[in-house]
């Protein structure tokens, strides 16, 4: 039985990973529907799926390599700045657009609560299962490089975006995530992929990025009334898409003008 299982996983590693990522994450969904558990999804399910598939297909060295990526802190300082600052920039621009499109200017008392983002960020980063940071070892540390081995980075990213969107299905169906968040979710996938490749494939940087993104995502919607909250993630998604497009074009442009290219895009 174990030999058959191992052979099947080795033959279909991607399909096995996706099935396990969903299964390890969604088992709480029925219990949540019965008011037996407070959460609808297990955030670190993709990480557990990656560890399981790696253990069955490549053994202990591959698992240890994934764990090393999760603590790979020796990357350029600029990527820490990107991981912490880019979520603020993207959501801040989306909030400004929201106001330009008719949303009332946020109350100063609400704006004064911005320090609450720091403890939220630390909790989301350090506690598995809270928020989405602990998804990243599965999505970026394992499956994205596997997809990109036989495909272009663009195609690999699109496939991953579909898988991640499907993984969030329980959150959409239970109303925890608004349907408008789908555009933002897909937009952030491309940004996460770009940062992952440029930051020496450090999963830690992506975990920091996601934790900060979620912390910002908790604060900014609280600034607007229900009538204008729904359009905020759509604007975030639009900003993400524009940023990803500009960045991909800028990589080609700056690569022809040294040393600017080396400064911005050195791996």
């Amino acid at each position: 039985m174990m030999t058959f299982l191992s052979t099947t996983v080795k033959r279909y590693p991607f399909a096995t990973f996706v099935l396990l990522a969903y299964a390890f994450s969604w088992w709480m969904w029925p219990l949540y529907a019965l008011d037996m558990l407070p959460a609808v999804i297990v955030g670190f399910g993709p990480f557990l799926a990656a560890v399981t598939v790696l253990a069955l297909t490549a053994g202990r060295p591959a698992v240890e390599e994934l764990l090393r990526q999760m603590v790979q802190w020796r990357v350029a300082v600029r990527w820490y700045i990107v991981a912490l600052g880019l979520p603020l920039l993207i959501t801040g621009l989306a909030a400004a657009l929201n106001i330009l499109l008719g949303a009332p200017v946020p109350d100063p008392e609400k704006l004064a609560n911005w320090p609450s983002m720091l403890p939220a960020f630390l909790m989301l980063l350090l506690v598995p299962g809270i928020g989405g940071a602990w998804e990243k070892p599965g999505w970026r540390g394992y499956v994205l490089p596997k997809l990109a081995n036989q495909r272009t980075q663009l195609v690999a990213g699109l496939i991953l975006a579909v898988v991640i969107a499907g993984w969030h299905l329980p959150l959409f169906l239970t109303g925890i995530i608004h349907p408008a968040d789908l555009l933002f979710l897909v937009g952030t996938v491309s940004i996460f992929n770009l940062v992952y490749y440029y930051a020496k494939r450090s999963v830690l940087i992506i975990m920091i990025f996601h934790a900060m993104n979620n912390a910002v995502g908790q604060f900014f919607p609280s600034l607007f009334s229900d009538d204008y909250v729904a359009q905020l993630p759509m604007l975030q998604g639009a900003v993400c898409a524009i940023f990803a497009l500009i960045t991909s074009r800028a990589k080609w442009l700056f690569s022809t003008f040294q040393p600017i290219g080396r400064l911005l895009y050195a791996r």
Side-chain angles (χ1 to χ4, degrees), residues 1 5-6 17-18 36 79 82 101 116 119 139-140 145 147 154 176 186 227 233 235 254:
M1 181 63 182
L5 178 62
S6 178
F17 167 79
V18 173
M36 297 175 64
W79 297 116
V82 168
L101 292 174
S116 64
W139 301 139
R140 296 318 181 295
L147 290 171
L154 175 60
I176 295 175
V186 173
D227 294 337
L235 295 171
F254 285 127

Side-chain angles (χ1 to χ4, degrees), residues 31 64 98 212 230 233:
L31 299 177
E64 291 177 346
N98 207 20
M212 189 62 182

Side-chain angles (χ1 to χ4, degrees), residues 6-94:
S6 178
T7 302
T8 302
V9 174
K10 288 180 180 179
R11 182 175 297 177
Y12 308 105
F14 174 67
T16 302
F17 167 79
V18 173
L19 290 174
L20 289 179
Y22 283 28
F24 288 161
S25 303
W26 288 8
W27 67 267
M28 297 178 68
W29 188 4
L31 299 177
Y32 173 85
L34 296 172
D35 292 327
M36 297 175 64
L37 287 176
V40 68
I41 201 169
V42 179
F44 54 87
F47 170 52
L48 295 180
V51 170
T52 302
V53 174
L54 284 172
L56 291 172
T57 58
R60 181 175 176 177
V63 175
E64 291 177 346
E65 175 58 29
L66 175 61
L67 297 178
R68 276 193 291 270
Q69 289 187 55
M70 293 173 62
V71 293
Q72 184 183 339
W73 60 271
R74 291 185 176 180
V75 298
V77 174
R78 64 181 178 273
W79 297 116
Y80 286 94
I81 296 174
V82 168
L84 295 171
L86 193 55
L88 283 168
L89 176 62
I90 289 174
T91 308
L93 288 173

